[in-house]
Amino acid sequence: MQKRLMSIILAVMLLAAMATTAGAATYEEINQDAVFVKQSQRGTCTLASTAMMLRRAAMLNGDENWASITEASCRSAFWLAGRGLPYHFTYETMTVDHARLPGGQANRQVLIDLLAEHPEGIMLHAACVPHGILLTEYKDGQFYCADPSEFAGTGIIPIEQAWGTRIENSNAYWYVSSEVTAPTQAPVVPEASAASIHPDTTTLLTGPKADEEETACLIGQALGVHA
């Protein structure tokens, strides 16, 4: 009876873990190379970088249509011809705002704090270059980004490998001001308790007993496994 109760509890815990992660993305998923894009023409670096930021935010919010967010779809939604990226706009259910940076070394801590609040990243702009990139992460003393320039590598790269834009020379950033779900972790199957393990070896020779067969069925149902 104790074994059966323990197995039911494990099955329920597994279902709960699966339910809490359904739809939301993990860090590994939003960091795939396929999530990032290159700008289609000169002068659209901020547009492409914002598209990448919105794609990651949509993934974190469980939007299965995140790949439909492209430079072209963003251009038609909020790009201002002859002016560029507005300071405030909405794309579908996501709102984006603009803010300025203090400049120089003072930018460093500001951006570290921002990345801790925005797992989707922020669109970082250096007007002196001029060039915009998606700043994605700060880890172990290193800033990482995705650069839409054709002269930079694909996927996530150290910011030192980006084209021109650096932490110290950046003057402004755009960020998702609407709610974004935090990245999830892959569900972990709870380990079996010692109370559910037989102290003898007879089960290995005779096969599962009736209550264990029922337990296996319960766990199979929780996982959605069919014979």
Side-chain angles (χ1 to χ4, degrees):
M1 181 64 183
Q2 186 179 15
K3 288 191 309 174
R4 180 182 179 188
L5 180 60
M6 180 61 68
S7 298
I8 293 174
I9 292 174
L10 290 174
V12 171
M13 290 174 63
L14 178 60
L15 280 173
M18 294 171 66
T20 55
T21 57
T26 64
Y27 267 121
E28 290 74 16
E29 290 169 331
I30 66 172
N31 287 341
Q32 297 176 83
D33 284 356
V35 175
F36 306 106
V37 300
K38 292 294 185 181
Q39 62 194 86
S40 63
Q41 62 189 69
R42 185 177 180 181
T44 61
C45 55
T46 56
L47 183 60
S49 295
T50 301
M52 291 189 284
M53 178 177 70
L54 293 174
R55 284 160 77 97
R56 298 176 96 216
M59 293 177 73
L60 289 169
N61 285 338
D63 186 352
E64 296 180 352
N65 296 317
W66 62 267
S68 65
I69 302 174
T70 62
E71 182 182 317
S73 71
C74 290
R75 180 190 293 275
S76 62
F78 53 77
W79 187 253
L80 301 176
R83 296 173 57 189
L85 203 63
Y87 284 173
H88 174 85
F89 57 89
T90 298
Y91 184 93
E92 297 182 352
T93 62
M94 295 176 285
T95 301
V96 174
D97 282 300
H98 166 274
R100 296 192 180 278
L101 290 165
Q105 286 295 327
N107 288 349
R108 186 177 181 85
Q109 191 58 53
V110 173
L111 294 173
I112 290 173
D113 293 341
L114 281 167
L115 289 174
E117 298 174 6
H118 296 277
E120 71 280 6
I122 60 173
M123 204 290 287
L124 185 65
H125 187 247
C128 61
V129 179
H131 188 55
I133 61 176
L134 176 66
L135 195 66
T136 59
E137 185 180 18
Y138 177 78
K139 183 178 180 180
D140 298 330
Q142 173 68 59
F143 285 96
Y144 294 90
C145 69
D147 189 341
S149 171
E150 63 178 317
F151 301 110
T154 58
I156 294 178
I157 59 175
I159 194 170
E160 290 77 15
Q161 297 177 17
W163 192 79
T165 300
R166 298 292 183 266
I167 298 302
E168 295 78 10
N169 69 2
S170 296
N171 65 293
Y173 63 93
W174 279 254
Y175 64 100
V176 178
S177 54
S178 54
E179 184 176 357
V180 177
T181 304
T184 61
Q185 299 294 329
V188 177
V189 179
E191 294 182 0
S193 169
S196 65
I197 301 175
H198 283 288
D200 56 54
T201 59
T202 55
T203 303
L204 297 175
L205 301 175
T206 61
K209 297 179 182 178
D211 60 338
E212 292 173 323
E213 290 175 345
E214 184 174 354
T215 294
C217 180
L218 287 170
I219 294 177
Q221 291 174 2
L223 293 171
V225 176
H226 302 282

